[in-house]
Amino acid sequence: MNAAHPSRRIYVAEVVTRDGFQSEPQFIPTTDKIALIDRMSEAGYAAIEVSSFTSPKAIPMLADADAVFAGITRNPAVEYLALVPNVRGAERALAARADAFNLVMSVSEAHNQANLRMSREQSFAQLQDVIRLARDHDTPVNVSLSTSFGCSLAGPVAPDDVMHWARRFADLGVRGISLCDTTGMADPAAVGALCERAVAAFPQLQITLHFHNTRGMGLANVVTALQAGIRHFDASLGGLGGCPYAPGATGNICTEELVHMLERMGYDTGMDLQLLLACAAQLERLVGRTVPSQLLRAGPVPTVALS
Ligand code: COA
Ligand code: ZN
């Protein structure tokens, strides 16, 4: 992609069954997770992050990742991703036939310790082994850099630190990097500046932006990322989501709101908004409460004259 003349095609990755369900107070039954993924698989997503192969003690709500992967009906047009924190997780993800790995570590040392119980250097060493294993199995690797825009444990995160870790992973030949605003601290100016740096420094990488709407800046951040040439975004159906190990973390940007906004702006998401809204309504019944999505309440902006 040429950053000066980027295309209007946007690639959306759904994270509700991973980022969303990991922080739900109640365990969502495996069969319900599978049914939701199967329905979402027809909505036009580029990717669905199905679950995470983490320690069931760390993330009990996703302890059924193996069964969820085994139960879903795969649409060949969709990439089914697994979040992987270590070699053990990678082995499980390979056995589950995940299409690609989403590795995770934090730019903030404090959050890496809280979330993964190891230093960033320890994470990097383990993830190097994971990347080797993935290469042996022709499995593409994306690395999610958590707390790229700030940390609720340590405060500000320097863009130079984000670039440093992105560079180290780029040098290992990964396919992509996600810049993750785990804590909803990114603002549109900071996003534009970091995205421009990342796009210029890593033209070979697929760069994804992962926003949480904790402070109401989520979709504004998408707009400045678009202006910087970013075309891959994570989002969560209904706006669920949040890291259990980042104090105060709340939901991701909402998929149906992202798609609705992008389509109105003339971008092509390839997604079926009506089906997304139906999935979001199903999700609301699953979690048994109102989800953050404002679009689910208001409905899309009318495109024909109302009589
Ligand atoms: N899958 C399943 N079990 C795993 C595992 C994996 N990927 N990695 C470790 N375990 C198990 C170990 O076997 C061990 O089990 P035991 O107590 O029955 O012997 C236990 O988990 C602890 O293992 P250890 O290697 O000491 O890990 P830890 O307690 O230091 O935790 C992580 C490290 C990375 C496994 C854990 O912190 C984790 O899974 N974090 C994920 C956090 C996350 O997903 N956050 C949200 C997304 S950003
Ligand atoms: Zn997240």
Side-chain angles (χ1 to χ4, degrees), residues 22-176:
Q22 72 184 6
S23 49
E24 275 301 299
Q26 309 284 342
F27 185 82
I28 309 287
T30 307
T31 50
D32 289 336
K33 289 173 176 152
I34 292 169
L36 182 65
I37 292 168
D38 284 351
R39 199 167 183 203
M40 293 193 301
S41 287
E42 301 306 314
Y45 288 103
I48 297 176
E49 192 162 293
V50 172
S51 191
S52 71
F53 291 100
T54 44
S55 155
K57 285 179 191 144
I59 308 285
M61 298 303 162
L62 303 183
D64 59 352
D66 313 78
V68 175
F69 263 97
I72 56 174
T73 303
R74 300 184 192 215
N75 177 342
V78 180
E79 188 167 73
Y80 295 92
L81 297 168
L83 184 137
V84 167
N86 58 14
V87 172
R88 171 88 188 278
E91 286 164 350
R92 290 175 61 204
L94 284 173
R97 295 189 302 110
D99 293 325
F101 294 172
N102 185 18
L103 314 189
V104 60
M105 70 165 277
S106 299
V107 180
S108 151
E109 182 74 22
H111 184 253
N112 206 71
Q113 287 285 0
N115 193 39
L116 299 166
R117 298 168 195 265
M118 51 189 138
S119 69
R120 290 172 299 177
E121 288 297 346
Q122 285 171 316
S123 275
F124 186 76
Q126 289 212 15
L127 296 182
Q128 268 182 301
D129 293 341
V130 172
I131 290 166
R132 230 171 274 130
L133 188 64
R135 189 171 304 132
D136 291 346
H137 291 82
D138 291 326
T139 302
V141 170
N142 184 77
V143 179
S144 278
L145 296 175
S146 300
T147 64
S148 280
F149 295 92
C151 173
S152 39
L153 299 165
V157 167
D160 283 350
D161 288 350
V162 181
M163 294 297 286
H164 166 80
W165 288 103
R167 167 65 60 200
R168 291 180 69 177
F169 284 108
D171 288 348
L172 297 179
V174 300
R175 180 182 70 182

Side-chain angles (χ1 to χ4, degrees), residues 18-19 182 210 212 252:
R18 200 279 299 166
D19 212 327
T182 313
H210 175 105
H212 284 258
N252 294 72

